[in-house]
mmCIF file of all heavy atoms in Angstrom:
data_model
loop_
_atom_site.group_PDB
_atom_site.id
_atom_site.type_symbol
_atom_site.label_atom_id
_atom_site.label_comp_id
_atom_site.label_asym_id
_atom_site.label_seq_id
_atom_site.Cartn_x
_atom_site.Cartn_y
_atom_site.Cartn_z
ATOM 1 N N CYS A 23 17.922 -11.636 12.491
ATOM 2 C CA CYS A 23 16.477 -11.430 12.974
ATOM 3 C C CYS A 23 16.579 -10.684 14.270
ATOM 4 O O CYS A 23 17.369 -10.902 15.264
ATOM 5 C CB CYS A 23 15.829 -12.868 13.370
ATOM 6 S SG CYS A 23 14.100 -12.737 13.967
ATOM 7 N N ASN A 25 14.403 -10.269 16.717
ATOM 8 C CA ASN A 25 13.734 -10.965 17.729
ATOM 9 C C ASN A 25 14.803 -11.804 18.463
ATOM 10 O O ASN A 25 15.209 -12.843 18.043
ATOM 11 C CB ASN A 25 12.641 -11.712 17.264
ATOM 12 C CG ASN A 25 11.979 -12.665 18.426
ATOM 13 O OD1 ASN A 25 12.058 -12.264 19.640
ATOM 14 N ND2 ASN A 25 11.207 -13.612 18.116
ATOM 15 N N CYS A 28 14.404 -15.407 19.042
ATOM 16 C CA CYS A 28 14.056 -16.095 17.646
ATOM 17 C C CYS A 28 14.575 -17.666 17.843
ATOM 18 O O CYS A 28 15.606 -17.830 18.351
ATOM 19 C CB CYS A 28 15.025 -15.456 16.623
ATOM 20 S SG CYS A 28 14.904 -16.234 15.018
ATOM 21 N N HIS A 29 13.715 -18.581 17.380
ATOM 22 C CA HIS A 29 14.010 -19.927 17.547
ATOM 23 C C HIS A 29 14.654 -20.563 16.343
ATOM 24 O O HIS A 29 15.017 -21.681 16.218
ATOM 25 C CB HIS A 29 12.700 -20.708 17.916
ATOM 26 C CG HIS A 29 12.188 -20.473 19.213
ATOM 27 N ND1 HIS A 29 12.974 -20.472 20.320
ATOM 28 C CD2 HIS A 29 11.024 -19.856 19.638
ATOM 29 C CE1 HIS A 29 12.307 -20.028 21.406
ATOM 30 N NE2 HIS A 29 11.097 -19.651 20.993
ATOM 31 N N ASN A 30 14.699 -19.799 15.247
ATOM 32 C CA ASN A 30 15.340 -20.307 13.984
ATOM 33 C C ASN A 30 16.779 -20.442 14.268
ATOM 34 O O ASN A 30 17.388 -19.699 14.883
ATOM 35 C CB ASN A 30 14.993 -19.414 12.849
ATOM 36 C CG ASN A 30 13.616 -19.670 12.339
ATOM 37 O OD1 ASN A 30 12.991 -20.780 12.334
ATOM 38 N ND2 ASN A 30 12.951 -18.486 11.885
ATOM 39 N N ARG A 35 18.330 -18.201 9.928
ATOM 40 C CA ARG A 35 18.110 -16.751 10.119
ATOM 41 C C ARG A 35 18.842 -16.010 9.253
ATOM 42 O O ARG A 35 18.747 -14.795 8.937
ATOM 43 C CB ARG A 35 18.520 -16.586 11.526
ATOM 44 C CG ARG A 35 17.634 -16.899 12.726
ATOM 45 C CD ARG A 35 18.249 -16.750 14.045
ATOM 46 N NE ARG A 35 18.391 -15.376 14.374
ATOM 47 C CZ ARG A 35 18.704 -14.985 15.481
ATOM 48 N NH1 ARG A 35 19.151 -15.782 16.416
ATOM 49 N NH2 ARG A 35 18.809 -13.685 15.896
ATOM 50 N N TYR A 51 12.895 -8.979 10.624
ATOM 51 C CA TYR A 51 12.541 -10.256 11.358
ATOM 52 C C TYR A 51 12.414 -11.345 10.404
ATOM 53 O O TYR A 51 11.997 -11.121 9.196
ATOM 54 C CB TYR A 51 11.093 -10.115 12.126
ATOM 55 C CG TYR A 51 11.209 -8.943 13.053
ATOM 56 C CD1 TYR A 51 10.850 -7.613 12.707
ATOM 57 C CD2 TYR A 51 11.645 -9.119 14.296
ATOM 58 C CE1 TYR A 51 11.023 -6.685 13.599
ATOM 59 C CE2 TYR A 51 11.838 -8.125 15.233
ATOM 60 C CZ TYR A 51 11.492 -6.850 14.850
ATOM 61 O OH TYR A 51 11.591 -5.796 15.737
ATOM 62 N N CYS A 52 12.840 -12.576 10.834
ATOM 63 C CA CYS A 52 13.100 -13.659 9.870
ATOM 64 C C CYS A 52 11.767 -14.406 9.413
ATOM 65 O O CYS A 52 11.650 -14.882 8.331
ATOM 66 C CB CYS A 52 14.043 -14.723 10.458
ATOM 67 S SG CYS A 52 13.332 -15.623 11.742
ATOM 68 N N CYS A 53 10.787 -14.131 10.250
ATOM 69 C CA CYS A 53 9.430 -14.793 9.994
ATOM 70 C C CYS A 53 8.319 -14.067 10.709
ATOM 71 O O CYS A 53 8.565 -13.207 11.622
ATOM 72 C CB CYS A 53 9.485 -16.288 10.380
ATOM 73 S SG CYS A 53 9.745 -16.457 12.340
ATOM 74 N N CYS A 56 8.310 -14.327 14.584
ATOM 75 C CA CYS A 56 9.208 -13.425 15.225
ATOM 76 C C CYS A 56 8.795 -12.032 15.208
ATOM 77 O O CYS A 56 8.833 -11.169 16.213
ATOM 78 C CB CYS A 56 10.708 -13.318 14.550
ATOM 79 S SG CYS A 56 11.549 -14.974 15.100
HETATM 80 ZN ZN1 ZN B 401 13.436 -14.975 13.838
#
Side-chain angles (χ1 to χ4, degrees):
C23 182
N25 176 18
C28 179
H29 293 307
N30 283 326
R35 289 171 68 178
Y51 300 92
C52 72
C53 60
C56 282

